[in-house]
Amino acid sequence: MAVSPESLRGLHERAARALPAELVEDAGGWWLRHARGGAWWVRSALPHGGAAPDELARGIAAAEAFYAGHGVAARFQISPPACADALDAILAGRGYRRHDAMSLQGAPTARVLELARPGPLRVRLDDRPADAWFEVWAAASGHGDDARHERDMLARVERPSAYAGAMLGDEVVAVGRAVADTGWAGLFGMATLPRARGRGAARAVLAALAGFAQAQGADRMYLQVERRNDAALALYGRTGFGEICGYHYRTAG
């Protein structure tokens, strides 16, 4: 799925609104984001401003000062052509460590609905996260220590949202959430308890969230997945998603 640099920047910025930091400063089009806890990627810069050498130098200096002021290492999300092609090499030359290769993927909502046919599992859909949703997310994702910060972050989401939980009997065993934003719906927080894997729980969650996207008038969906997560990549491939671009992070050494 090919998109223009402007559309790619728009997708990353939608994702940033769905994963909102506590503080966001605009430095010449670069989004400098910070939060006091929770997922580290919320504390990364989106360097979507100018590409001229002097603009890059000013942007890097502003980001380094911003993160130093908050007592954390500067971190950039590198996703050409959403950001300048030269930025990655400049940061590498300054000793920034490359890590966490990611895939940004997209699909037509109608295609996801066609392919992610729900199985026998019932799915509960709410407009805000219930305690059971958080418990499964924390247990299955391995981010239990971040649960309080995750709650705080989700409370900052302003766009229409849906929280899905696939049920085995009366127990939630798989979760995910979607955020609708100007024609697109992003998928986040997909997680399944080990004992429920292989039973169609994740596919049922995905189908329910695609239904939410359609109801919101979002005819396209996107998600972000680690390149090393073979199981998730296979699921998304079977349900119509394809890569829009790869991206990674650079963190100051």
Side-chain angles (χ1 to χ4, degrees), residues 2 18 23 36 54 65-67 83 100 122 144 146 156 172 210 250:
L23 175 65
R36 286 170 289 183
D54 59 332
F66 175 85
Y67 289 108
C83 65
D100 287 275
R122 180 169 60 92
D146 295 333
R156 296 192 293 269
V172 178
R250 289 275 186 187

Side-chain angles (χ1 to χ4, degrees), residues 40-41 100-103 224-230 232-233:
W40 58 263
W41 49 85
D100 287 275
M102 305 290 293
S103 176
Q224 301 152 303
V225 59
E226 293 179 326
R227 286 197 179 278
R228 63 185 180 183
N229 191 338
D230 293 335
L233 288 168

Side-chain angles (χ1 to χ4, degrees), residues 30 32 55-67 76 94 96:
W30 293 31
L32 309 181
E55 293 172 318
L56 289 176
R58 284 196 300 269
I60 293 170
E64 290 178 338
F66 175 85
Y67 289 108
F76 296 83
R94 293 169 69 95
Y96 277 70

Side-chain angles (χ1 to χ4, degrees), residues 138-170:
S141 68
H143 295 294
D145 292 342
D146 295 333
R148 177 175 62 84
H149 297 295
E150 182 79 1
R151 285 182 184 270
D152 291 343
M153 183 195 72
L154 295 181
R156 296 192 293 269
V157 177
E158 298 178 351
R159 306 283 169 155
S161 300
Y163 295 82
M167 314 287 290
L168 275 177
D170 294 328

Side-chain angles (χ1 to χ4, degrees), residues 191-206:
T192 303
L193 293 176
R195 65 179 179 276
R197 290 172 187 163
R199 306 181 66 168
R203 191 177 74 251
V205 167
L206 184 53

